[in-house]
Amino acid sequence: MPLHVPPAPAPALRSVLTALGSPTAVREARTPSLRLAQGPVTPELPLPVHVLDRITPEGASATRLAGWRVQIRCGDRAVAAADTMLTPDGWAFSRFFEGPYIAATERALRQAETMQQPYQARLLSVPELYMLTLWLHGDCAADGATGHPAATDLLVPLAPAPPGIAAHRPHLVAELLPVLTHRVTPAPLLSSPA
């Protein structure tokens, strides 16, 4: 089934194109693969990045949209990514970066394209665990900038995943959230002797 990518705000995409066209922005980026790219670089696959700020024993708190992430492709592979953020003046370019999540995102997207059920692709960050997942949302017509993970949505942890959580293995939200809840819930303090 085709993977659905929600439409990114036009100003967010324009800000990435402007940054890519700026020798200063590219030169000052800490992304050697982008600076050394041979041939044209093109932005593609803008994905909304949602953040799960807090996981409680009851489950997930609401997510919030943190920005849009755009893969930067050179030739046949993504060499970097660009993040955008919402400012008081609208969407703006934030940064270029590279690292293991670039290839892991590409791999997870290819894997998702082979699934039988259609999904809307998003990214979900869990800062408390230093974890990023591909969030496959079951409602393909939903606004990609809103919502929270449904129990039947899939989360695909990207490599490197936290210890004990398999990277690139799709998990139902209903199955993975209890594991994450256990990981981030502080252990009860032992009482001191009187």
Side-chain angles (χ1 to χ4, degrees):
M1 282 289 184
L3 191 61
H4 298 271
V5 177
L13 294 176
R14 276 194 304 271
S15 72
V16 171
L17 286 170
T18 300
L20 279 172
S22 165
T24 304
V26 172
R27 187 174 53 249
E28 291 179 2
R30 298 183 200 276
T31 53
S33 61
L34 184 58
R35 285 194 313 268
L36 302 172
Q38 299 294 314
V41 292
T42 55
E44 66 176 32
L45 290 171
L47 297 174
V49 180
H50 294 262
V51 175
L52 185 58
D53 284 319
R54 196 167 44 88
I55 302 174
T56 66
E58 295 77 37
S61 65
T63 62
R64 65 179 168 83
L65 180 68
W68 287 80
R69 179 163 296 165
V70 181
Q71 298 281 88
I72 307 298
R73 182 169 292 286
C74 181
D76 63 348
R77 67 182 188 95
V79 295
D83 277 345
T84 65
M85 63 182 184
L86 190 58
T87 69
D89 295 325
W91 288 99
F93 169 76
S94 174
R95 68 186 178 124
F96 290 118
F97 67 96
E98 62 183 75
Y101 287 135
I102 307 300
T105 301
E106 262 197 320
R107 177 180 170 186
L109 287 167
R110 280 193 311 270
Q111 181 181 0
E113 287 174 347
T114 66
M115 294 181 174
Q116 296 299 317
Q117 181 178 338
Y119 288 102
Q120 183 187 81
R122 304 171 176 200
L123 293 171
L124 180 67
S125 173
V126 186
E128 289 179 281
L129 293 176
Y130 301 101
M131 179 179 179
L132 183 64
T133 69
L134 177 63
W135 170 12
L136 299 173
H137 189 54
D139 182 359
C140 295
D143 178 356
T146 62
H148 62 279
T152 56
D153 287 351
L154 295 178
L155 296 177
V156 182
L158 302 181
I165 296 175
H168 297 290
R169 181 177 168 262
H171 300 270
L172 284 171
V173 167
E175 294 171 356
L176 186 59
L177 275 182
V179 173
L180 301 182
T181 301
H182 179 70
R183 290 280 182 98
V184 297
T185 304
L189 297 173
L190 297 174
S191 60
S192 55

